[in-house]
Amino acid sequence: MSDRVINSIEDLYQMLDAAVQLEHATIPPYLTALYSIKTETNPEASAVIRAVLVEEMLHITLAANVLNSLGKHPDFEAKDFVPSYPTYLPDGESEFLVSIDKFSSTTLDTFLQIERPSKWVPQLDSKFKGCVKRSNHHVFELKAVKPLKSSTYSFYSIGDFYEAIREGIEYLEDQANQKGETIFIGDPKFQVSNRYYYSGGGEVVEVFDKTSALNALELIIEQGEGHTHQIFNEQGELSHYYRFQQLKLGQYYQTGDSPDHPTGPKFEVDYKNVHPVKCNPKVADFPDDSELKQAALQFNENYQAFLSTINRAFRGGQEELIGAVCGMFRLKECASQLIRNPLPSNPLVNGGPTFEMRYDSIELKAKSIKTWETA
Amino acid sequence: MVKEVYQVHQFVELSGALTDFNALALNGTGQVNDYLHTLTNIVGEEIVEQLLSTFSAVYEASADETMFINGIRQQILGDVKLGPVARNLIKLWYTGTWYQLPNSWREGFGKSEQDTTFFVSSASYTEGLLWQAIDANPSGAKGPGYGSWSQPPRINFNNAWQFKPSTKFR
Amino acid sequence: MNDSISTLQQITLEQAIERSNKSEYHACIVGSGISGAILAKQLTQKGYRVLLLEAAPAKDMTYTGFKEYVSNYYLNPSKDNNAPYPENPNAPMPRSTDVSKLTPGVDDTKGYMVQRGPLALDSTYTRVTGGTTMHWEAKILRMLPEDFAIKSTYGVGLDWPISYDDLMPYYRLAEREIGVSANVEEQGFYGIKYEDNYVYPMYGLPPSYLDQIVGKGIDGAEFELYGETHTVTVRTFPQGRNGIPNERYDNGRGFKPVGAISSHQVEQGGRCQGNNNCVPICPVQAKYDARKTLLDAMRTGLVDFLPQAVASKVVVDSDDQSIKHIEFKHYSSTERTEFTLAKVSASKYILATNAIENARLMLASGLPSSSGLMGKNLMDHTYLLAWGLLPEAAGTMRGTKCTSGVADFRYGRSRSKQAPFGIDIHNDGWGWATGSPFTDIETLVDEQNRFGKDLRKSVVDRISNQLLFAYMVEQVADESNRVTVDPEYKDALGNMRPIINYNLSDYSKAGIAYSRETSKVFFQRLGAEDFSSYSPLDYGYFNYQGENYYFRGGNHFSGTHVMGTTAGNSVVDAYQRSWDHPNLYLVGSGSMPSIGTSNTTLTLAALCFKTSEYILDEMSKQSVNIVSNSDFRLAKEAGHE
């Protein structure tokens, strides 16, 4: 049998769908950790997490553009698109769970796990590039991700996961070309452009063909895990793993450094100046009729409305992204408020955004972020 | 510990009544402890206790909101000792600034060296309630996003403080 | 989007002197604001080596240093336009908070600028790396074509030796460098024209909700003025801050916005987020500041950047009147006044320290110009503020400081009788006039005795409904408005401080008085309650034809080394080259013979592009011929005071 993970266009759709979910799944943990840091403290940690966070948003957009170029759309409203935390990640790293939690040394370790570089070595590993064997598929609570070709393999790193997608695109497009066809049959109008998408995290790539698709994936891989264990990419940007590692080591990398040995300016990471967010908070943790519970519910409703807006943006309404970004800023303020509020039952522990979505109400989907009010 | 928790709770309630922002909003600024410390450091524990206990007494004794408001005016804001302190607390919450107390107060009730006009911290500036009240970001922080300024402000009073709400929030 | 590469290298004093001794410098630029940065970038990108002297420390070239500025701003009880920038006695800067009402005949020496009057001018500039663009508002207007010829057209002020058409291609370069967000179709009015198919680098910023309310109320208002009808339209301003890149820019190549300056990855500086704090500091660096240009220059590896070097004397060769060297005082700490006196030479010298400091340095060097005009013709925009409360919540305090205004009084026949003006609608409400919103809270709590629900509701009505018109009135050249120096007034390093003589002419006052009348009409049309009041106790107070007014300075210092057609009528020529000293350029708004009703930065930046083109042309014609100077000496001196 083939040693490719992706062998059919269906496989590719599923993998890209999972990619969008994967990128999104990191956002609640990064966001919560970022806003658990007390205002005006820990400038280095805040800057690093923030930088990674905005690049994850870019990665969502890039993965979605690739999916749209194939004539499919990502579904941000799909049941269980937002995982229940703690969660495994959709690319299947099986030995660590990702939580919504305050910024801490442990949280940082998880972030390093999420962004860990590939360790795939051709000679030693399984026939599936970057895959590791596993037999516990059932523990993956990401119900929206169907098991791929093999239910016993998963990826060691996010980079490996994208390598598999890249390989699949090359293969499938090659097959299609031989028949005088292409897999890139999506309507270009669904491509989200830099006019509407923006962040400090880099420029979005519009995808029309194999080259642009590979460019988009390349950008995700470069920003995420980097290549061949180099700390800086060609643009002089640090990959996510090494950015987080700077916090672990309390020192910046500078040009010319080798991995694990930064020599730039040193700084202190202050784990004490952090709000004590309850790990993986749930609405059920907050007393009925408490202001905190109301606010948590309101946040979730707003977040779901935000995802609906994003969904429309990737289905031809990209001008909605401008407003969605403003919505994101409002969500940030609501999340900060939750993070700073003590639990009525235990003033030593604070609340936090729970990111629990409701999929039982149709009216919810119709809600636009324009109707939001601050909690 | 228990006493401290109770004091913080009372401080938040007093602040809520004075500013019309509920506990969620006040805690949401992350400034409660810093403000209580600032107040205590400058006017002293005794006056803080007096302020909080007067507030509690007025609150408990008031059958309705009109009575409560009159009580606050007569026994706190209209009090020679407590009035300037309470007004300072309002301004502190709204702006993040501790304003130097009036000279008459300083002559009568003590001049703390720390009693100058200052922002409690750089964070206290950005957490001033005035900005929330008008649905704006503090000038120089929390930018609301490109183009947001083209839309009307979404001013609302959803997080207003409530006098003895029927379902008391815990 | 950000700069993660560490290109922020600085050199030491010893290195600078060594290279100077080896005649390695093609140019010595004094000042790292927008003028100096543009010159440095243009010269180094063509392979010339530049020594850049900056009076201030350079920590703000790092993200941490920049964040400190932002924190300083948060903490500073005064939110004036130099609030983020630390006091530095070795390179002091004017602050509006230092200005108070003058006593006739008495010099006011409280601030760095000595105020000799008769009127007190509260304008400021910022002496930090990046210069005053660190606190500028970044409203970035072209001048009207008629502004270049006000003497010949209207009989007032001075004419330029060049026209709008001459400057047009350089405006374009300046708009690229700064990264201007604007829509051509909204900007081509009263003679302003563009090359065919020109678009700005980025789309215009959307108008604020407040602008929209004001526009509904005053659009179409008509004013008869000297036989001409001026019809009001609220228009958006071009902005020197990042917006949505225009894909049609540069023949379809588009535009890549420049993000935050940082030696580490911070991912900021994308689109304007509406922090409402362009002045005094954009916390996300979406606003252009000169460090962005400076960094481009540094990337060439040809800029030797020497901070903490305060130029103190321009020394002239008595044989041919060329500049022989520049003396400067290099200090090791802003805490101490000890300095090392040093000198450097280069084949060309470019003073880019702003209109006040350029003239101050030349006069302190005993170089008043053969025309005698050095320091004279000091101009600034004169602001009249008019403020009121709208009948509805207008969402004031959101957006950039100012997104729209009115341009319909900037032109026309009335200019022969009264000063023209532009109008800004201020998104930060009454801040400039009253210290709002903080003073509002003080008033509501301490005077109106409000608390609780009553207070919260009043805060909305009192702040979100605010409207402030800032009238920017042209001031024309007048030799009696000027900068001088006097050994009696020195700073901590012993450099002579600028002394300002400043007054408003009846021409200015007539324009101000008329602008006030238009505000009354606007408030009527909007149903707004007029809160404007001009106290005789205010430092900017004056009375004109029985009415009280006060004015504020616009921070647009200019005219102090005016350009012209001959050595007799000006200090510099149309290329900003000194008539007296062939290897000296005085650049910036000091060269402008008139300022019209446009904020000066875009025009001065355009002039700097024009100058750099000229210098490059000169350099390419000459074989590089640097005077070697072997008698460098280091003199250690204790600082004064």
Side-chain angles (χ1 to χ4, degrees), chain C residues 500-519:
Chain C
I500 306 296
N501 285 69
Y502 193 76
N503 206 356
L504 294 179
S505 65
D506 279 354
Y507 178 79
S508 285
K509 289 176 181 171
I512 291 169
Y514 189 78
S515 75
R516 174 64 178 133
E517 291 309 307
T518 68
S519 74

Side-chain angles (χ1 to χ4, degrees), chain C residues 245-303:
Chain C
N246 191 328
E247 64 283 353
R248 283 177 294 146
Y249 184 72
D250 196 12
N251 296 318
R253 280 182 283 271
F255 180 80
K256 193 169 162 32
V258 182
I261 302 296
S262 170
S263 50
H264 304 291
Q265 285 164 16
V266 293
E267 310 303 4
Q268 285 197 338
R271 274 170 216 182
C272 170
Q273 298 175 355
N275 276 288
N276 197 241
N277 206 58
C278 322
V279 182
I281 190 161
C282 172
V284 298
Q285 306 184 47
K287 180 186 78 173
Y288 170 85
D289 66 66
R291 297 172 312 140
K292 296 185 179 184
T293 300
L294 207 52
L295 196 68
D296 275 346
M298 286 176 162
R299 282 204 187 90
T300 62
L302 292 173
V303 177

Side-chain angles (χ1 to χ4, degrees), chain B residues 17-21 65 69 72-73 77 87 90-91 94-95 97 99 117-122 125-126 130-131 133-153 155-162, chain C residues 70-71 73-77 79 203-209 212 242-244 271-277 283 393-401 403 437-438 441-442 445-446 449-457 459-460 463-464:
Chain B
L18 291 175
T19 63
D20 198 38
F21 281 86
E65 196 160 0
I69 290 172
I72 296 288
R73 285 215 177 275
L77 293 167
R87 280 189 287 282
I90 299 175
K91 290 183 284 183
Y94 267 86
T95 67
T97 313
Y99 286 86
T117 298
F118 65 100
F119 282 102
V120 169
S121 65
S122 51
Y125 164 72
T126 66
L130 84 90
W131 310 103
I134 60 172
D135 188 39
N137 61 297
S139 188
K142 303 186 185 181
Y146 183 82
S148 56
W149 54 82
S150 274
Q151 303 297 319
I155 294 164
N156 68 71
F157 298 89
N158 296 349
N159 58 1
W161 183 80
Q162 291 186 41
Chain C
V70 177
S71 294
Y73 169 74
Y74 292 164
L75 271 172
N76 201 328
K79 302 294 187 207
Y203 288 101
L205 262 62
S208 67
Y209 182 66
Q212 297 167 43
N242 290 335
I244 300 175
R271 274 170 216 182
C272 170
Q273 298 175 355
N275 276 288
N276 197 241
N277 206 58
T396 309
M397 303 287 166
R398 302 178 312 144
T400 72
K401 281 281 175 197
T403 32
F438 292 91
I441 301 296
E442 294 161 29
V445 175
D446 291 336
N449 296 336
R450 295 174 194 269
F451 81 99
K453 289 188 176 9
D454 179 29
L455 171 66
R456 185 164 171 184
K457 177 76 173 48
V459 165
V460 174
I463 302 175
S464 199

Side-chain angles (χ1 to χ4, degrees), chain A residues 283-351:
Chain A
V283 170
D285 297 332
F286 310 141
D288 289 346
D289 297 329
S290 65
E291 290 167 356
L292 194 58
K293 181 160 192 162
Q294 295 305 317
L297 286 168
Q298 186 70 50
F299 176 88
N300 289 344
E301 201 176 299
N302 290 348
Y303 194 77
Q304 200 157 1
F306 169 72
L307 290 177
S308 294
T309 310
I310 300 289
N311 216 42
R312 290 195 298 278
F314 284 100
R315 289 158 189 255
Q318 58 171 306
E319 65 286 349
E320 292 207 43
L321 279 176
I322 302 250
V325 172
C326 301
M328 189 86 194
F329 283 108
R330 273 183 192 264
L331 279 166
K332 179 197 117 177
E333 293 309 318
C334 298
S336 296
Q337 206 167 41
L338 290 167
I339 283 168
R340 292 164 177 179
N341 259 276
L343 295 184
S345 53
N346 181 359
L348 300 180
V349 177
N350 286 9

